[in-house]
Amino acid sequence: MNKDLFLIKGLGGKKKLNGTIPVFGAKNAALKAMAASILFKDDVKYENIPFISDIEMMSEILSDLGAEIEKTGKYSMNINSEKAKKTELDRNLSKRMRASVVLTGPILARFGEVSFPHPGGCVIGERPIDMFLEGFKKMGAEVSEAGEKYYIKAKDGKLKGAEIFFKMQSVTNTETFILAGVLAEGKTVLKNCALEPEISNLAEFLIECGAKIKGVSTATIEIEGTGGKLLESKGKVFKTIPDRIEAGSFLILATLAGDNIEITNCEPKHLEILIDTLRRSGVKIDVEKNSIKVSNNGKVKNSSLTATNIKTHEYPGFPTDLQAPMAVYLTQVSGESVIFETIFEGRLNYINDLARMGADVKVWDSHQAMIKGPTELKGKELDGPDLRAGLAYILAAIIAKGNSVINNVHFVDRGYEKIEERLQKIGVEIERVAN
Ligand code: EPZ
């Protein structure tokens, strides 16, 4: 883990960023597709992979399991998991990344057993795994716990298809049980599935490679398992969708501090809620097939934009991962906005730092806060608390008056590749200092 920090010279409310900023592949799609390599007997080829620290960590976990990973280009890699045979997830690595839990589905389905620690990741709430354990039991597995580890064993070494109703829509549960269902014996029916595009990206690739999955992008997904027979990709390529959270954060930045900014290599269809919310608040946005433009924005006063309430929701609702960047936006527009974070209980922790920078905020409870704008933000030294809030701090520092220091850049590095280089290209004065 690096101890780098960012030094950022604030624009003090001036809107002078210009140029194009590209969006890279979605971390939360790439990680799950890498986990899916366990289902394959041949090489899986990946494109549009962001080379960030979470991808490195997933590569390390897979290598430890016995997979062979080869970086084949700037944004591409191959994974061959045919020789993987270890069924125990490395404790230290898995505790550092929530997405590691997705590996439990394919490992259990292929080898009949898996053991793992409670998965880690960003501290944004309790992040339980009860729904994973319940689902595996439904598929005929026995679950035990010892020495801070979970041990799951399928009866007779084979997972059985089952009907699983998720009590809450969960991204990683939906993905894990799609992967488990693909190799299980018989039919698995998943109900109340999450609808995030990263899930469809994964499922559509599996279908291309022969998996029998129906109902992708709907709340009920049916999988006809192969009964243990591994999939073959036969050269097909997993193309990672663009990161909608990165694109959305750049759009918020373009609105607040840009004159003419074009966000390229993105999928605007995955950002409808943000685009709609910003337009209702008064922002002029041009949407093209794979790009979003905010043009001639330098003369638009942020204070002429209006406050808007935000309630986070599963896709296609407002993403919890854009809640913190949006809060920065709300400090600059006129009026009172309420933020209601419905998914995670620890995801408003960053807001006191915005208050230290000068924002007018009232935190009502762990899920709700009110922001009154517009207020001038002042540069400060900030400790990024997690990946998405870390990026929100960068946005806040860019629009603030004076200089800021953002510590804990390693959180930002988990999800955003070379963020400072891309920001510098549109005119942001940001510098990484190795510490
Ligand atoms: C995924 O987390 C993402 N992570 C998160 O992105 C994202 O914030 C979140 O989905 C919501 O969109 C990955 O894809 C690796 P959930 P996930 O299961 O799957 C509760 C980032 O910064 N729940 O959809 O862990 C849970 O507490 C990260 O990239 C249970 O109760 O989230 C939450 O309230 C942060 N029991 C709700 O479900 C369980 O067994 C939805 O969470 C599992 C989850």
Side-chain angles (χ1 to χ4, degrees):
M1 196 187 305
N2 70 52
K3 291 203 171 136
D4 295 0
L5 53 85
F6 282 142
L7 294 179
I8 297 174
K9 194 166 168 199
L11 294 169
K14 293 198 188 80
K15 299 170 90 171
K16 52 182 200 183
L17 304 180
N18 271 295
T20 54
I21 185 159
V23 174
F24 291 168
K27 161 179 92 78
N28 286 341
L31 289 172
K32 312 338 168 18
M34 290 172 74
S37 68
I38 298 285
L39 302 178
F40 286 80
K41 68 189 263 193
D42 58 353
D43 267 24
V44 184
K45 295 184 184 348
Y46 297 86
E47 278 178 8
N48 202 26
I49 295 288
F51 282 98
I52 49 179
S53 61
D54 269 20
I55 297 288
E56 271 170 39
M57 236 185 285
M58 183 57 101
S59 302
E60 280 180 56
I61 298 175
L62 281 164
S63 303
D64 179 63
L65 294 173
E68 287 164 6
I69 300 166
E70 186 196 353
K71 193 168 178 211
T72 49
K74 207 168 166 199
Y75 300 111
S76 55
M77 62 159 88
N78 280 356
I79 305 183
N80 188 312
S81 293
E82 197 191 359
K83 294 199 194 102
K85 49 180 180 294
K86 198 172 157 191
T87 58
E88 180 187 0
L89 291 187
D90 180 87
R91 188 173 185 282
N92 292 329
L93 293 166
S94 312
K95 280 199 89 66
R96 282 164 54 198
M97 188 173 64
R98 175 80 181 180
S100 62
V101 74
V102 174
L103 280 161
T104 59
I107 295 177
L108 182 60
R110 178 166 160 186
F111 302 107
E113 61 180 25
V114 66
S115 59
F116 58 102
H118 194 91
C122 286
V123 185
I124 51 179
E126 202 188 331
R127 309 193 85 180
I129 62 157
D130 55 323
M131 286 158 63
F132 294 90
L133 304 181
E134 269 171 34
F136 290 140
K137 283 185 199 157
K138 283 244 163 85
M139 295 183 86
E142 279 163 5
V143 174
S144 57
E145 255 185 273
E148 295 184 6
K149 261 191 172 177
Y150 300 96
Y151 294 84
I152 324 252
K153 258 193 160 127
K155 279 183 209 134
D156 312 323
K158 291 262 186 251
L159 277 187
K160 309 273 180 307
E163 186 168 314
I164 301 172
F165 182 87
F166 297 121
K167 65 176 179 175
M168 293 167 90
Q169 289 187 338
S170 156
V171 176
T172 41
N173 264 281
T174 306
E175 292 160 337
T176 303
F177 287 96
I178 290 176
L179 296 175
V182 165
L183 291 196
E185 275 180 346
K187 190 189 208 175
T188 299
V189 181
L190 307 176
K191 293 186 174 171
N192 198 24
C193 294
L195 305 176
E196 271 65 4
E198 292 76 18
I199 302 171
S200 323
N201 194 195
L202 172 70
E204 277 157 13
F205 177 67
L206 296 173
I207 293 171
E208 259 186 72
C209 298
K212 295 206 169 66
I213 306 173
K214 281 196 216 147
V216 176
S217 305
T218 76
T220 303
I221 295 181
E222 285 186 19
I223 306 135
E224 199 60 61
T226 64
K229 187 167 176 276
L230 296 181
L231 298 180
E232 280 179 79
S233 77
K234 296 184 179 151
K236 296 200 183 63
V237 179
F238 176 82
K239 293 195 184 76
T240 315
I241 54 170
D243 195 311
R244 64 198 161 94
I245 305 304
E246 187 172 279
S249 306
F250 292 162
L251 177 56
I252 292 170
L253 176 65
T255 301
L256 290 178
D259 183 15
N260 289 293
I261 295 279
E262 183 175 10
I263 298 148
T264 56
N265 304 346
C266 64
E267 178 48 272
K269 270 195 249 144
H270 295 162
L271 275 172
E272 275 181 303
I273 185 91
L274 177 68
I275 293 170
D276 183 72
T277 308
L278 291 174
R279 279 183 174 154
R280 280 171 201 276
S281 155
V283 186
K284 291 216 165 39
I285 299 170
D286 294 319
V287 172
E288 283 170 26
K289 191 163 175 275
N290 296 115
S291 65
I292 307 175
K293 271 188 201 158
V294 183
S295 315
N296 304 319
N297 182 48
K299 290 188 195 73
V300 181
K301 282 202 159 80
N302 286 336
S303 58
S304 70
L305 305 172
T306 50
T308 175
N309 294 339
I310 299 300
K311 183 177 173 187
T312 64
H313 196 278
E314 294 81 8
Y315 187 83
F318 199 93
T320 170
D321 291 345
L322 278 176
Q323 183 256 106
M326 193 62 185
V328 177
Y329 175 83
L330 299 177
T331 65
Q332 300 306 298
V333 301
S334 288
E336 286 178 358
S337 308
V338 174
I339 294 186
F340 186 8
E341 167 57 56
T342 67
I343 318 259
F344 294 113
E345 63 281 5
R347 255 201 162 166
L348 287 176
N349 293 346
Y350 68 88
I351 222 157
N352 291 330
D353 278 331
L354 285 188
R356 278 206 305 124
M357 295 179 85
D360 184 353
V361 298
K362 283 197 178 61
V363 178
W364 291 340
D365 57 37
S366 59
H367 285 279
Q368 294 185 85
M370 195 186 70
I371 299 184
K372 193 171 168 191
T375 47
E376 184 184 71
L377 300 184
K378 292 181 192 65
K380 283 273 180 279
E381 178 165 354
L382 304 161
D383 292 336
D386 67 70
L387 151 68
R388 309 298 178 188
L391 189 64
Y393 286 4
I394 294 178
L395 304 191
I398 294 171
I399 61 171
K401 189 170 178 188
N403 298 334
S404 294
V405 177
I406 315 270
N407 297 314
N408 293 347
V409 164
H410 62 90
F411 282 129
V412 176
D413 289 338
R414 289 187 64 160
Y416 302 102
E417 186 185 327
K418 297 194 187 114
I419 189 82
E420 70 277 24
E421 290 179 16
R422 284 183 286 162
L423 292 173
Q424 282 159 359
K425 286 200 176 118
I426 55 167
V428 175
E429 292 191 51
I430 176 169
E431 196 189 326
R432 180 186 288 262
V433 179
N435 214 337

